[in-house]
């Protein structure tokens, strides 16, 4: 586990993790696993490497396998690198009958990738996800923590173009 | 206009902040319960109210509470199920986003009744933006002395935390939720023991839906008998219905139990009728797991009486002609929607969400998805329809948790009521659909 030595998290993340661990009894630190993985995933470019997961195992006094089995079970954890902007389009029933498939096809064409792929410039990853609890405001997608609802093709273009500009300005 | 119990103040300015929430009568149930009532008296009011679990199963909340094992000196836990993931359901989200303090108030009053000093709200990970709203509201409640040590001088202590999931429908099942809160995969547990005896960290635990806990506030304020005056029969109180699909006014509506289904769909107070002037074809009235109903079964009970929005009326006729109120996820389909495609979509959902523990569910959901995909895309055989029926029958009742049933019922109901559409798909391949896979009744008519 020498690689875990090289993994460090920001002061802010460490403090946030300490605060979360205190929400559970002292001998139940493992309960903090899901919220802690969210924090480190965000800090680590939106995915979880083996080294990051090993480091979390050490912090929570659990075995690495206990982290891997959780990280691979829940759909929100990415076990491979993804683009800077991950577009998660809901394609479950109510969204489907309100036009989700057209939105997905449009994004595939616009970005020249298929669902599950990342653009060559590593800017966008397109994913389809199951019901996000926005059925009445369909079609919709989630990017980061934000929901974008009642989407039209025009709005999709505007949202993706402006997010791309934002990210490019940061670089 | 029906009576509003949960959403009465939703449009009041600043209602997400504690000052405004208190101004409109918020946190009264906490002082009433903690200062004037014993924990058992609170539970008694909940029993009297007839409140039934709003997550989908409809089990009596007061009765569930009475199962909590108080004979041990282990800590007891109240967990709020805010994992809202049933397709068609987005009601708890509205409550938590707009009136977070209603849930927090309900958690305090309910925790007092159950004797819990630490409680958790388990919220689905995708609702991270709502988690932040709740955390802000919880901080306000601590600052005002509604949470923490010696609340309102009563001697009652409570710490309340929000715990995010990470994308797994199964964690809405209460024992999977507990596993997830323990930092594990969301694999449901074999029952018994039930959580009320051995739940979180093997301690006595109650898991209640967001809407159920929010309803406790009014039950304590007005009394259980008063709450029970609203509604019809054993469906007391109000219910949040999240309406989606091909309707003019999708959204969340608080209805008095007993509103006719026809009124709910066509009245401007609620769904406002079918979009684009089309006809109503079918409806899934209680979230994706409950049986889909064609128009006539949806609007009328088997005896010809109008069907009502209540637990009893929606399930009247059993699965032969009825369905379930479920979570209140009300999905409406217009005449152009394809039942086969919708059934395939739901089968894919359950395949994706099966935790994989039980073979009938792990294998059966994937099998149904593949068979339905074949039929939908024009590669189906007539015997596939009977095969589907056989698979779903062998999943139902043969799994640890109800996900198996939830996966089986939509397939069974679609075949039961819309077998002709499956047969059309097999017979005419996918030619009854246009390039967007939109069902074309006129094309179908030509093919008959």
């Amino acid at each position: 586990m020498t690689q875990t030595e090289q993994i460090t998290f920001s002061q802010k993340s460490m403090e946030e993790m300490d605060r979360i661990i205190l929400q559970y009894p002292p001998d139940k630190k493992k309960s903090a696993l899901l919220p802690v993985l969210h924090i480190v995933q965000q800090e680590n470019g939106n995915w979880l490497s083996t080294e990051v997961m090993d480091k979390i195992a050490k912090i929570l006094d659990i075995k690495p396998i206990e982290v891997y089995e959780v990280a691979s079970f829940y759909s929100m954890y990415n076990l491979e690198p993804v683009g800077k902007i991950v577009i998660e389009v809901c394609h479950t029933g109510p969204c489907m009958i309100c036009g989700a498939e057209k939105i997905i096809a449009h994004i595939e064409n616009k970005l020249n990738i298929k669902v599950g792929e990342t653009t060559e410039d590593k800017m966008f990853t397109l994913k389809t996800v199951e019901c996000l609890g926005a059925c009445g405001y369909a079609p919709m997608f989630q990017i980061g923590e934000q929901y974008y609802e009642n989407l039209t093709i025009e709005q999709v273009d505007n949202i993706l173009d402006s997010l791309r500009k934002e990210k490019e300005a940061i670089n | 206009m029906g009576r509003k119990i949960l959403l009465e103040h939703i449009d009041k300015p600043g209602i997400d902040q504690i000052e405004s929430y208190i101004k409109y009568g918020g946190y009264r149930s906490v002082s009433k319960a903690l200062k004037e009532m014993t924990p058992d008296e609170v539970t008694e009011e909940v029993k009297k109210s007839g409140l039934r679990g709003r997550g989908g199963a409809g089990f009596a909340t007061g009765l569930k509470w009475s199962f909590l094992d108080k004979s041990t000196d282990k800590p007891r836990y109240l967990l709020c199920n805010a994992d809202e993931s049933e397709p068609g359901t987005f009601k708890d989200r509205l409550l938590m986003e707009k009136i977070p303090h209603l849930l927090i108030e309900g958690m305090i009053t309910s925790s007092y009744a159950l004797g819990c000093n630490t409680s958790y709200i388990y919220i689905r990970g995708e609702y991270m933006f709502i988690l932040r709203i709740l955390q802000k509201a919880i901080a306000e409640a601590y600052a005002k002395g509604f949470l923490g040590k010696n609340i309102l001088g009563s001697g009652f202590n409570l710490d309340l935390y929000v715990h995010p999931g990470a994308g797994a429908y199964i964690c809405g099942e209460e024992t999977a939720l507990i596993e997830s809160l323990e930092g594990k995969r969301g694999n449901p547990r074999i029952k018994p023991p039930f959580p009320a005896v051995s739940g979180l960290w093997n301690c006595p635990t109650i898991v209640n839906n967001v809407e159920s806990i929010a309803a406790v506030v009014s039950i304590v304020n007005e009394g259980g008998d008063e709450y029970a005056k609203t509604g019809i029969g054993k469906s007391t109180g109000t219910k949040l219905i999240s309406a989606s699909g091909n309707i003019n006014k999708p959204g969340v509506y608080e209805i008095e139990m007993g509103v006719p289904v026809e009124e709910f769909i066509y009245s401007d107070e609620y769904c406002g009728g079918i979009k684009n002037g089309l006809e109503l074809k079918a409806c899934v009235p209680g979230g994706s797991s409950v049986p889909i109903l064609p128009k006539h079964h949806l609007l009328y009970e088997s005896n010809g009486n109008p069907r009502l929005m209540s637990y009893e009326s929606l399930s009247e006729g059993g699965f032969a002609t009825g369905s379930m109120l479920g979570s209140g996820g009300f999905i409406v389909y217009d005449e152009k929607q394809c039942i086969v495609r919708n059934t395939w979509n739901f089968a894919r959902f359950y395949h994706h969400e099966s935790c994989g523990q039980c073979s009938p569910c792990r294998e059966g959901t994937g099998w149904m998805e593949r068979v339905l995909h074949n039929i939908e895309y024009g590669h189906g055989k007539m015997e596939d329809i009977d095969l589907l029926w056989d698979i779903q029958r062998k999943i139902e009742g043969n799994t640890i948790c109800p996900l198996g049933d939830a996966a089986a019922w939509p397939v069974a109901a679609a075949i039961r009521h819309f077998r002709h559409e499956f047969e059309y798909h097999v017979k005419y391949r996918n030619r009854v659909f246009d390039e967007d896979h939109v069902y074309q009744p006129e094309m179908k008519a030509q093919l008959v």
Side-chain angles (χ1 to χ4, degrees):
Chain A
M1 297 291 149
T2 48
Q3 284 132 320
T4 59
E5 313 293 320
Q6 291 150 22
I7 301 283
T8 53
F9 302 119
S10 68
Q11 183 69 23
K12 187 170 163 266
S13 291
M14 289 304 288
E15 283 169 11
E16 181 75 356
M17 282 191 258
D18 288 343
R19 186 188 61 74
I20 287 169
I21 290 167
L22 289 175
Q23 296 182 349
Y24 313 96
D27 59 336
K28 309 292 181 197
K29 268 164 93 171
K30 184 176 174 176
S31 278
L33 182 53
L34 269 69
V36 161
L37 285 178
H38 281 302
I39 292 170
V40 296
Q41 172 163 281
Q42 203 176 15
E43 186 173 329
N44 189 51
N46 212 8
W47 75 291
L48 296 169
S49 63
T50 308
E51 292 75 26
V52 165
M53 290 191 281
D54 290 347
K55 180 80 177 183
I56 293 304
K58 278 195 172 170
I59 291 174
L60 296 181
D61 297 328
I62 54 179
K63 296 186 192 76
I65 183 68
E66 295 178 81
V67 183
Y68 307 157
E69 65 173 10
V70 159
S72 60
F73 182 83
Y74 294 93
S75 66
M76 287 180 75
Y77 301 126
N78 299 313
L79 300 181
E80 282 168 16
V82 289
K84 292 190 179 81
I85 298 162
V86 182
I87 312 160
E88 298 177 297
V89 192
C90 173
H91 68 159
T92 313
C95 272
M96 179 190 73
I97 65 171
C98 293
E101 289 168 327
K102 282 186 180 166
I103 298 289
I104 295 164
H106 176 74
I107 300 173
E108 284 185 331
N109 283 334
K110 181 182 171 71
L111 301 178
N112 199 22
I113 51 172
K114 292 278 167 211
V115 170
E117 294 178 350
T118 299
T119 52
E120 264 179 32
D121 62 359
K122 309 281 183 240
M123 184 61 82
F124 293 103
T125 298
L126 175 62
K127 287 167 84 174
T128 51
V129 292
E130 300 296 351
C131 189
L132 291 182
C135 321
Y137 324 112
M140 65 81 67
F141 57 54
Q142 179 169 25
I143 295 178
E145 287 186 14
Q146 199 173 336
Y147 276 26
Y148 297 86
E149 302 174 319
N150 297 309
L151 290 172
T152 61
I153 300 286
E154 212 176 33
Q155 282 170 335
V156 170
D157 285 342
N158 291 339
I159 293 162
L160 298 187
D161 293 346
S162 69
L163 284 175
R164 180 197 288 276
K165 272 184 202 144
E166 253 174 55
K167 289 284 173 193
E168 283 170 351
I170 293 169
N171 290 343
Chain B
M1 286 286 279
R3 188 173 168 220
K4 301 276 180 281
I5 293 176
L6 301 170
L7 303 185
E8 188 185 355
H9 298 302
I10 194 156
D11 294 325
K12 301 287 181 347
I15 198 71
D16 59 330
Q17 287 153 32
I18 201 161
E19 285 78 16
S20 183
Y21 182 73
I22 290 173
K23 195 173 108 192
Y24 290 104
Y27 286 103
R28 272 185 301 142
S29 80
V30 173
S31 51
K32 182 173 178 188
L34 270 57
K35 288 178 179 167
E36 299 168 25
M37 298 168 81
T38 65
D40 287 345
E41 282 169 356
V42 177
T43 303
E44 200 47 46
E45 291 305 317
V46 174
K47 277 188 183 170
K48 275 197 241 167
S49 74
L51 176 68
R52 295 168 66 174
R54 300 295 196 233
F59 190 81
T61 304
L63 189 60
K64 192 179 200 179
W65 284 15
S66 70
F67 294 151
L68 186 69
D69 183 4
K70 295 183 176 172
S71 66
T72 75
D73 46 15
K74 286 181 181 176
R76 303 191 280 264
Y77 294 101
L78 171 63
L79 309 181
C80 172
N81 186 345
D83 192 53
E84 186 164 72
S85 310
E86 172 89 0
T89 315
F90 50 99
K91 63 184 180 70
D92 296 338
R93 177 187 158 188
L94 179 87
L95 270 184
M96 295 187 288
E97 261 187 284
K98 304 287 184 194
I99 339 174
H101 285 288
L102 185 65
L103 174 60
I104 294 164
E105 178 176 358
M107 285 298 283
I108 300 166
T109 306
S110 304
S111 296
Y112 171 74
L114 298 165
C116 307
N117 300 116
T118 307
S119 296
Y120 297 92
I121 299 170
Y122 181 101
I123 190 165
R124 63 179 301 180
E126 294 90 339
Y127 283 179
M128 199 60 87
F129 61 104
I130 304 176
L131 175 140
R132 303 198 194 287
I133 293 171
L134 288 171
Q135 280 181 334
K136 187 172 158 278
I138 286 172
E140 290 179 336
Y142 270 103
K144 289 270 183 206
F146 292 116
L147 282 167
K149 296 254 178 291
N150 192 20
I151 296 168
L152 305 180
S154 65
F156 176 63
N157 307 326
L158 178 66
D159 284 313
L160 177 60
Y161 304 107
V162 195
H163 178 104
Y169 167 72
I170 190 60
C171 292
E173 194 277 340
E174 59 180 14
T175 60
L177 184 151
I178 290 168
E179 287 283 301
S180 183
L181 219 160
E182 292 182 359
K184 301 180 214 157
R185 297 162 64 99
N187 286 358
R189 295 178 181 172
I190 295 172
K191 288 157 277 192
F194 287 92
V197 175
S198 180
L200 182 64
W201 304 311
N202 296 323
C203 297
T205 302
I206 294 291
V207 185
N208 284 140
N209 173 260
V210 172
E211 188 186 343
S212 312
I213 288 176
V216 170
V217 171
S218 162
I219 290 167
V220 169
N221 283 337
E222 319 294 334
D225 290 332
E226 187 61 29
Y227 183 87
K229 284 181 190 162
T230 304
I232 182 166
K234 286 183 179 166
S235 300
T236 59
T238 62
K239 176 85 188 82
L240 296 181
I241 305 291
S242 54
S244 65
N246 310 122
I247 45 175
N248 284 317
K249 290 171 58 192
V252 179
Y253 298 99
E254 181 172 15
I255 59 155
E256 280 187 36
M257 295 272 199
V259 171
V261 175
E262 189 163 14
E263 181 186 337
F264 184 71
I265 293 181
Y266 292 102
S267 154
D268 281 336
E269 195 183 333
Y270 304 114
C271 302
I274 309 301
K275 223 173 164 176
N276 302 322
L278 294 171
E279 279 289 313
L280 167 66
K281 176 177 185 175
C283 174
V284 174
S288 60
S289 307
V290 311
I292 191 168
L293 291 180
K295 183 178 177 179
H296 62 284
H297 286 321
L298 175 73
L299 301 184
Y300 302 100
E301 295 181 353
S302 57
N303 52 22
N305 290 336
R307 205 183 277 283
L308 311 177
M309 301 286 282
S310 71
Y311 290 103
E312 290 78 21
S313 184
L314 275 168
S315 60
E316 190 280 334
F319 281 2
T321 55
S323 184
M324 287 168 76
L325 178 63
S327 63
F330 196 87
I331 314 168
V332 180
Y333 299 85
D334 70 33
E335 59 190 301
K336 290 199 167 187
Q337 299 306 326
C338 169
I339 300 301
V340 177
R341 190 163 184 78
N342 184 69
T343 311
W344 162 62
N345 184 294
F346 283 165
R348 184 193 63 205
F349 172 82
Y350 291 106
H351 180 211
H352 184 262
E353 301 299 340
S354 172
C355 81
Q357 258 192 130
C358 312
S359 314
C361 174
R362 181 187 63 241
E363 303 302 324
T365 52
W367 196 1
M368 291 197 300
E369 183 199 345
R370 290 189 296 276
V371 173
L372 281 159
H373 185 274
N374 277 348
I375 298 175
E376 164 66 9
Y377 285 93
H379 309 295
K381 299 190 281 285
M382 270 311 170
E383 54 265 37
D384 285 344
I385 305 169
D386 293 327
L387 176 64
L388 274 176
W389 185 267
D390 195 42
I391 302 170
Q392 67 79 22
R393 207 170 49 84
K394 283 170 179 159
I395 300 174
E396 187 192 5
N398 291 321
T399 53
I400 291 175
C401 87
L403 193 142
D405 300 347
W409 293 343
V411 173
I415 297 174
R416 186 182 297 119
H417 299 301
F418 296 95
R419 192 180 180 102
H420 55 282
E421 270 190 44
F422 289 80
E423 289 171 354
Y424 278 125
H425 272 72
V426 172
K427 222 168 162 182
Y428 302 108
R429 302 304 171 185
N430 50 6
R431 283 182 293 139
V432 288
F433 298 87
D434 68 11
E435 70 275 14
D436 291 325
H437 291 280
V438 171
Y439 183 60
Q440 299 293 313
E442 58 277 15
M443 288 165 79
K444 186 184 99 179
Q446 287 166 19
L447 290 166
V448 176

